[in-house]
Amino acid sequence: MAADGRGGRADRSQAVAFAGVIGGVAGAALAGHRGARAAGAGAVAGAAALAACEAVARARQRPGEIPPLWARIATSAALVAPLGWAAGRVTGAGPVAVGTATGTLGGLLGIRPQKVLLGPLFGAAVGRALAVRRPPPASVTAAVTMAAYRVASALVFRDAQVSLLAEQVRAEDLPFVVPRESRSRYVGTGYVRELAGVLGGRYVADAPDVGIVASVSELAGPDLDPAGIDPLVVEFYEHTTRFTLDIVPQWRPWVRPGYLLYRTVVARPLGQANVPMNQRETWRGIRSRIDTISADDDGVVAIRGWIRSFADTDEPIYVGIYTTYRHDGRGYVSVGFPLPQASFTATLLPRARAGGGLVLTSRSDLDQPGHYLAHVDPATKELTVLAVRLRPGRRTARRARLLRLRAAVPRAPLPDTPQARQPCRLTAHRRCEAAGPSIGRGPRPPPSRMAPPLPGWFRAARGCAVRREPHRSTRRSRPAPGSGGWARASRWRRSR
């Protein structure tokens, strides 16, 4: 107990000292236009003010809470002041340009698409208002714009999107969190191999005939009877490697610029959540595989990592750890996306759907489903977890011989965010083991080996109603290397 108290006081002291550094830099930037002496005085005043603000906020902070809003607003305003000063010195930008850029930054950090749209408009309005009389320095414009935007955003969007769920707790106490972090700054397609080296066990790369879950019977509960699920849906979950995937990007126009910046700055250097920007990139081919880690004694698969990458260079698209667990007589699916010293988890509740379908949804009044961002302490392996409130979404698998799903793209560092929701379509094809290198060439197979035409395909989007459309196929999928060819969208062939 005494050690915990000393550790807490040390953490608070570090937080106060760090806030003092931020305040000092911000004060120097705000007063720098008046000369070196004024900049020095501003640095001292800024350091004292923000350190005092942080000390009061930490003293009033209760267990399980994040710092109060007023302290976060003050810190964010102090952080953008040096950026505004640098922009003014380098580019000579005026109040409107600096205000717009600051508002855009605030909107991008706000997760909600409404905030993304509000940010630049609000920033431009504040910059124009400040430029009416005597234009202030760029550092002042940036700080005022950020503070005003945060206040207005808090008044308009009253429901909190992020809340502190747990602090310094054991992973066993939070079964809905997948505590698989990346021990380096790059996740990449070799993550499961590196994890096997840390945990031990037998590592199998590109394991044959495995699925993202061991058995759908593990998901049984009041809302789901596994016996009522269509066999093809069961096959997809229990034998995912029998299916091949391709991605059809369908970006919303207002998402593309933000995602292009995110992809360049975050996704590619991180090796995670690197979704194709256009159809030309998908022509490189999509490789889907599952790496597993099994116990040495019984051979039971303990960890399943579903890895999707570009076929030509093995550049990662997604790296997800799929787990299942039971709580209060219900089964849940948790998908963990490793991040540097952290993990983002989507815990989903399975529900039955009419016609033999299966729905995995985070929309529930239960305390387990949801989205969680966890930091893993490198020394103690204890978790500090934030509950992230996103727009409710779901994954749907319908009865059809072609599974066509809608994939969600994460905003840095979180997946499945409202800004970039439903930007691309993920299509699962039944793999044809007996097919030649390219379907559609050579003699037509006998009717006994050809399934009947598809009655239609189903498109499902997270949070959207499923709608059935007439079947139409105008293209063929590119064969992935070593996949044995892909089935055409209209027909698929089974191996004997």
Side-chain angles (χ1 to χ4, degrees), residues 47-109:
L50 199 59
C53 177
E54 183 69 17
V56 174
R58 292 287 178 173
R60 300 183 60 181
Q61 182 181 358
R62 298 178 181 179
E65 291 183 349
I66 59 178
L69 178 63
W70 57 268
R72 303 200 305 270
I73 292 177
T75 302
S76 60
L79 285 172
V80 298
L83 299 179
W85 175 84
R89 290 293 299 269
V90 174
T91 65
V96 176
V98 173
T100 303
T102 305
T104 301
L105 177 61
L108 290 175
L109 297 177

Coordinates of all heavy atoms in Angstrom, one line a residue, residues 47-109:
A47 N 5.0 28.2 -17.5 CA 5.4 26.9 -16.8 C 4.6 26.9 -15.5 O 4.1 25.8 -15.1 CB 6.9 26.9 -16.6
A48 N 4.7 28.0 -14.7 CA 4.0 28.0 -13.4 C 2.5 27.8 -13.5 O 1.9 27.1 -12.8 CB 4.3 29.4 -12.7
A49 N 1.9 28.5 -14.5 CA 0.4 28.4 -14.7 C 0.0 27.0 -15.0 O -0.9 26.4 -14.4 CB -0.1 29.4 -15.7
L50 N 0.6 26.4 -16.0 CA 0.2 25.0 -16.5 C 0.5 24.0 -15.4 O -0.2 23.0 -15.3 CB 0.8 24.7 -17.8 CG 0.0 23.6 -18.6 CD1 -1.4 24.0 -18.8 CD2 0.7 23.3 -19.9
A51 N 1.7 24.2 -14.7 CA 2.0 23.2 -13.7 C 1.0 23.3 -12.6 O 0.6 22.2 -12.0 CB 3.4 23.5 -13.2
A52 N 0.6 24.5 -12.2 CA -0.4 24.6 -11.1 C -1.7 24.0 -11.6 O -2.4 23.3 -10.8 CB -0.6 26.1 -10.8
C53 N -2.1 24.2 -12.9 CA -3.3 23.7 -13.4 C -3.3 22.1 -13.3 O -4.3 21.5 -12.9 CB -3.5 24.1 -14.8 SG -4.9 23.5 -15.7
E54 N -2.2 21.6 -13.7 CA -2.0 20.1 -13.7 C -2.1 19.6 -12.3 O -2.7 18.5 -12.0 CB -0.7 19.7 -14.4 CG -0.5 18.2 -14.5 CD -1.5 17.5 -15.5 OE1 -2.1 18.3 -16.3 OE2 -1.6 16.3 -15.4
A55 N -1.4 20.3 -11.3 CA -1.4 19.8 -9.9 C -2.8 19.8 -9.4 O -3.2 18.9 -8.7 CB -0.5 20.7 -9.1
V56 N -3.6 20.8 -9.6 CA -5.0 20.9 -9.1 C -5.8 19.8 -9.8 O -6.6 19.1 -9.1 CB -5.6 22.3 -9.4 CG1 -7.1 22.3 -9.1 CG2 -4.9 23.3 -8.6
A57 N -5.6 19.6 -11.1 CA -6.4 18.6 -11.8 C -6.1 17.2 -11.3 O -7.0 16.3 -11.1 CB -6.1 18.6 -13.3
R58 N -4.8 16.9 -11.0 CA -4.4 15.6 -10.5 C -5.0 15.4 -9.1 O -5.3 14.3 -8.7 CB -2.9 15.4 -10.5 CG -2.3 15.4 -11.9 CD -2.6 14.0 -12.6 NE -2.1 14.0 -13.9 CZ -2.1 12.9 -14.7 NH1 -2.6 11.8 -14.2 NH2 -1.7 12.9 -15.9
A59 N -5.0 16.5 -8.3 CA -5.5 16.3 -6.9 C -7.0 16.1 -6.9 O -7.5 15.3 -6.0 CB -5.1 17.6 -6.1
R60 N -7.7 16.6 -7.8 CA -9.2 16.4 -7.9 C -9.6 15.2 -8.7 O -10.7 14.8 -8.6 CB -9.8 17.6 -8.5 CG -9.6 18.9 -7.7 CD -10.3 20.1 -8.3 NE -11.8 19.8 -8.3 CZ -12.7 20.7 -8.8 NH1 -12.2 21.8 -9.4 NH2 -13.9 20.4 -8.8
Q61 N -8.6 14.6 -9.4 CA -8.9 13.4 -10.2 C -9.2 12.2 -9.3 O -8.4 11.8 -8.4 CB -7.8 13.1 -11.1 CG -8.0 11.9 -12.0 CD -6.8 11.6 -12.9 OE1 -5.8 12.4 -12.9 NE2 -6.9 10.6 -13.8
R62 N -10.3 11.5 -9.5 CA -10.7 10.3 -8.8 C -10.2 9.1 -9.5 O -10.0 9.1 -10.7 CB -12.2 10.3 -8.6 CG -12.8 11.5 -7.8 CD -14.3 11.4 -7.7 NE -14.8 12.5 -6.9 CZ -16.2 12.6 -6.7 NH1 -17.0 11.7 -7.2 NH2 -16.6 13.7 -6.0
P63 N -10.1 8.0 -8.7 CA -9.7 6.7 -9.4 C -10.8 6.3 -10.5 O -12.0 6.4 -10.3 CB -9.8 5.7 -8.2 CG -9.5 6.5 -7.0 CD -10.2 7.8 -7.3
G64 N -10.3 5.9 -11.6 CA -11.1 5.5 -12.7 C -11.6 6.7 -13.6 O -12.5 6.5 -14.4
E65 N -11.0 7.8 -13.4 CA -11.4 9.0 -14.2 C -10.2 9.5 -14.9 O -9.0 9.4 -14.5 CB -11.9 10.1 -13.3 CG -13.3 9.8 -12.7 CD -13.8 11.0 -11.9 OE1 -13.0 11.9 -11.6 OE2 -15.0 10.9 -11.5
I66 N -10.4 10.2 -16.0 CA -9.4 10.9 -16.7 C -9.3 12.3 -16.2 O -10.3 12.8 -15.5 CB -9.6 10.9 -18.3 CG1 -11.0 11.5 -18.6 CG2 -9.5 9.5 -18.8 CD1 -11.2 11.6 -20.1
P67 N -8.3 13.1 -16.5 CA -8.2 14.5 -16.0 C -9.4 15.3 -16.4 O -10.0 15.0 -17.5 CB -6.9 15.0 -16.6 CG -6.1 13.8 -16.8 CD -7.0 12.7 -17.1
P68 N -9.9 16.3 -15.6 CA -11.0 17.1 -16.0 C -10.9 17.8 -17.3 O -9.8 18.1 -17.8 CB -11.2 18.0 -14.8 CG -9.9 18.1 -14.1 CD -9.3 16.7 -14.4
L69 N -12.0 18.2 -17.9 CA -12.0 18.8 -19.2 C -11.3 20.1 -19.2 O -10.5 20.3 -20.2 CB -13.5 19.0 -19.7 CG -13.7 19.6 -21.0 CD1 -13.1 18.8 -22.1 CD2 -15.2 19.9 -21.3
W70 N -11.4 20.9 -18.2 CA -10.8 22.2 -18.3 C -9.2 22.1 -18.3 O -8.6 22.9 -19.0 CB -11.2 23.1 -17.1 CG -11.0 22.5 -15.7 CD1 -11.8 21.7 -15.0 CD2 -9.8 22.5 -14.9 NE1 -11.3 21.3 -13.8 CE2 -10.0 21.8 -13.8 CE3 -8.6 23.2 -15.1 CZ2 -9.1 21.7 -12.8 CZ3 -7.6 23.0 -14.1 CH2 -7.9 22.3 -13.0
A71 N -8.7 21.1 -17.6 CA -7.3 20.8 -17.7 C -6.8 20.3 -19.1 O -5.8 20.7 -19.6 CB -6.9 19.8 -16.6
R72 N -7.6 19.5 -19.7 CA -7.3 19.0 -21.0 C -7.3 20.1 -22.0 O -6.5 20.2 -23.0 CB -8.2 17.9 -21.4 CG -8.2 16.7 -20.4 CD -8.7 15.4 -21.0 NE -10.0 15.6 -21.6 CZ -11.2 15.4 -21.0 NH1 -11.1 15.0 -19.7 NH2 -12.4 15.5 -21.6
I73 N -8.3 21.0 -21.9 CA -8.4 22.2 -22.8 C -7.2 23.1 -22.7 O -6.6 23.5 -23.7 CB -9.7 22.9 -22.6 CG1 -10.9 22.1 -23.0 CG2 -9.7 24.3 -23.3 CD1 -12.2 22.8 -22.7
A74 N -6.8 23.3 -21.4 CA -5.6 24.2 -21.2 C -4.3 23.6 -21.8 O -3.5 24.3 -22.4 CB -5.4 24.5 -19.7
T75 N -4.2 22.3 -21.6 CA -3.0 21.6 -22.2 C -3.0 21.6 -23.7 O -2.0 21.8 -24.3 CB -3.0 20.2 -21.6 OG1 -2.9 20.2 -20.2 CG2 -1.7 19.4 -22.1
S76 N -4.2 21.3 -24.3 CA -4.2 21.3 -25.8 C -3.9 22.7 -26.3 O -3.3 22.8 -27.4 CB -5.6 20.8 -26.2 OG -6.6 21.7 -25.8
A77 N -4.4 23.8 -25.7 CA -4.1 25.1 -26.2 C -2.6 25.4 -26.1 O -2.0 26.1 -26.9 CB -5.0 26.1 -25.4
A78 N -2.0 24.9 -25.0 CA -0.6 25.2 -24.8 C 0.2 24.4 -25.8 O 1.3 24.9 -26.3 CB -0.2 24.8 -23.4
L79 N -0.2 23.2 -26.2 CA 0.5 22.4 -27.2 C 0.5 23.0 -28.6 O 1.5 22.9 -29.3 CB -0.1 21.0 -27.2 CG 0.2 20.1 -26.0 CD1 -0.6 18.8 -26.1 CD2 1.7 19.8 -26.0
V80 N -0.6 23.7 -29.0 CA -0.6 24.2 -30.3 C 0.0 25.6 -30.4 O 0.3 26.1 -31.6 CB -2.1 24.3 -30.9 CG1 -2.7 22.9 -30.9 CG2 -2.9 25.2 -30.0
A81 N 0.3 26.3 -29.3 CA 0.9 27.6 -29.4 C 2.3 27.6 -30.1 O 2.5 28.4 -31.0 CB 1.0 28.2 -28.0
P82 N 3.2 26.7 -29.7 CA 4.5 26.6 -30.5 C 4.3 26.3 -31.9 O 5.1 26.8 -32.8 CB 5.3 25.5 -29.7 CG 4.6 25.4 -28.4 CD 3.2 25.7 -28.6
L83 N 3.3 25.4 -32.2 CA 3.1 25.1 -33.6 C 2.6 26.3 -34.4 O 3.0 26.5 -35.6 CB 2.0 24.0 -33.7 CG 2.4 22.6 -33.1 CD1 1.2 21.6 -33.2 CD2 3.7 22.1 -33.7
G84 N 1.7 27.1 -33.8 CA 1.3 28.3 -34.5 C 2.5 29.3 -34.7 O 2.6 30.0 -35.7
W85 N 3.3 29.4 -33.6 CA 4.5 30.3 -33.8 C 5.4 29.9 -34.9 O 5.8 30.7 -35.7 CB 5.2 30.3 -32.5 CG 6.5 31.1 -32.5 CD1 6.7 32.4 -32.3 CD2 7.8 30.5 -32.8 NE1 8.0 32.7 -32.4 CE2 8.7 31.6 -32.7 CE3 8.3 29.2 -33.0 CZ2 10.1 31.4 -32.9 CZ3 9.7 29.1 -33.2 CH2 10.5 30.2 -33.2
A86 N 5.6 28.5 -35.0 CA 6.5 28.0 -36.1 C 5.8 28.3 -37.5 O 6.5 28.7 -38.4 CB 6.7 26.5 -35.9
A87 N 4.5 28.1 -37.6 CA 3.8 28.3 -38.8 C 3.9 29.8 -39.3 O 4.1 30.1 -40.4 CB 2.4 27.8 -38.7
G88 N 3.8 30.7 -38.3 CA 3.9 32.1 -38.6 C 5.3 32.5 -39.0 O 5.4 33.3 -39.9
R89 N 6.3 31.9 -38.4 CA 7.7 32.3 -38.7 C 8.1 31.7 -40.1 O 8.8 32.4 -40.9 CB 8.6 31.8 -37.7 CG 8.5 32.5 -36.3 CD 9.0 34.0 -36.5 NE 10.4 34.1 -36.9 CZ 11.4 34.1 -36.1 NH1 11.2 34.1 -34.7 NH2 12.6 34.2 -36.5
V90 N 7.6 30.5 -40.4 CA 8.1 29.8 -41.6 C 7.3 30.3 -42.8 O 7.9 30.6 -43.9 CB 8.0 28.3 -41.4 CG1 8.4 27.6 -42.7 CG2 9.0 27.9 -40.3
T91 N 6.0 30.3 -42.7 CA 5.1 30.6 -43.8 C 4.5 32.0 -43.9 O 4.0 32.4 -44.9 CB 4.0 29.6 -43.9 OG1 3.1 29.8 -42.7 CG2 4.5 28.2 -43.8
G92 N 4.6 32.7 -42.7 CA 3.9 34.0 -42.7 C 2.4 33.9 -42.8 O 1.8 34.9 -43.2
A93 N 1.8 32.8 -42.4 CA 0.4 32.7 -42.5 C -0.4 33.6 -41.6 O 0.1 34.0 -40.5 CB 0.0 31.2 -42.2
G94 N -1.5 34.1 -42.1 CA -2.3 35.0 -41.3 C -3.3 34.3 -40.4 O -3.3 33.1 -40.3
P95 N -4.1 35.0 -39.6 CA -5.0 34.4 -38.6 C -6.0 33.4 -39.2 O -6.3 32.4 -38.6 CB -5.7 35.7 -38.0 CG -4.8 36.8 -38.3 CD -4.1 36.5 -39.6
V96 N -6.5 33.7 -40.4 CA -7.5 32.8 -41.0 C -6.8 31.5 -41.3 O -7.4 30.4 -41.0 CB -8.1 33.4 -42.3 CG1 -9.1 32.4 -42.9 CG2 -8.9 34.7 -41.9
A97 N -5.7 31.5 -41.9 CA -5.0 30.2 -42.3 C -4.6 29.5 -41.1 O -4.8 28.2 -41.0 CB -3.8 30.5 -43.2
V98 N -4.0 30.1 -40.1 CA -3.6 29.5 -38.8 C -4.8 28.9 -38.1 O -4.8 27.8 -37.6 CB -2.8 30.4 -38.0 CG1 -2.5 29.8 -36.6 CG2 -1.5 30.8 -38.6
G99 N -5.9 29.7 -38.0 CA -7.1 29.2 -37.4 C -7.7 28.0 -38.1 O -8.2 27.1 -37.4
T100 N -7.7 28.1 -39.4 CA -8.3 26.9 -40.1 C -7.4 25.7 -39.9 O -8.0 24.6 -39.7 CB -8.3 27.2 -41.6 OG1 -9.1 28.4 -41.9 CG2 -8.9 26.1 -42.4
A101 N -6.1 25.8 -39.9 CA -5.2 24.7 -39.7 C -5.4 24.1 -38.3 O -5.5 22.9 -38.1 CB -3.8 25.0 -40.0
T102 N -5.5 25.0 -37.3 CA -5.7 24.6 -35.9 C -7.0 23.9 -35.7 O -7.1 22.8 -35.1 CB -5.6 25.8 -35.0 OG1 -4.3 26.4 -35.2 CG2 -5.7 25.3 -33.5
G103 N -8.1 24.4 -36.3 CA -9.4 23.8 -36.2 C -9.4 22.4 -36.9 O -10.1 21.5 -36.4
T104 N -8.7 22.3 -38.0 CA -8.6 21.0 -38.7 C -7.9 20.0 -37.8 O -8.4 18.8 -37.7 CB -7.9 21.2 -40.0 OG1 -8.6 22.1 -40.9 CG2 -7.8 19.9 -40.8
L105 N -6.9 20.4 -37.2 CA -6.2 19.5 -36.3 C -7.1 19.1 -35.1 O -7.1 17.9 -34.8 CB -4.9 20.2 -35.7 CG -4.1 19.4 -34.7 CD1 -3.6 18.1 -35.3 CD2 -2.9 20.2 -34.2
G106 N -7.8 20.0 -34.5 CA -8.7 19.7 -33.5 C -9.8 18.7 -33.9 O -10.2 17.8 -33.2
G107 N -10.3 19.0 -35.1 CA -11.4 18.1 -35.6 C -10.9 16.7 -35.9 O -11.6 15.7 -35.6
L108 N -9.7 16.6 -36.5 CA -9.1 15.2 -36.7 C -8.9 14.4 -35.5 O -9.0 13.2 -35.5 CB -7.8 15.4 -37.5 CG -7.9 15.9 -39.0 CD1 -6.5 16.0 -39.6 CD2 -8.7 14.9 -39.8
L109 N -8.6 15.1 -34.4 CA -8.4 14.4 -33.1 C -9.7 14.1 -32.4 O -9.6 13.5 -31.3 CB -7.5 15.3 -32.2 CG -6.1 15.5 -32.7 CD1 -5.3 16.4 -31.8 CD2 -5.3 14.2 -32.9

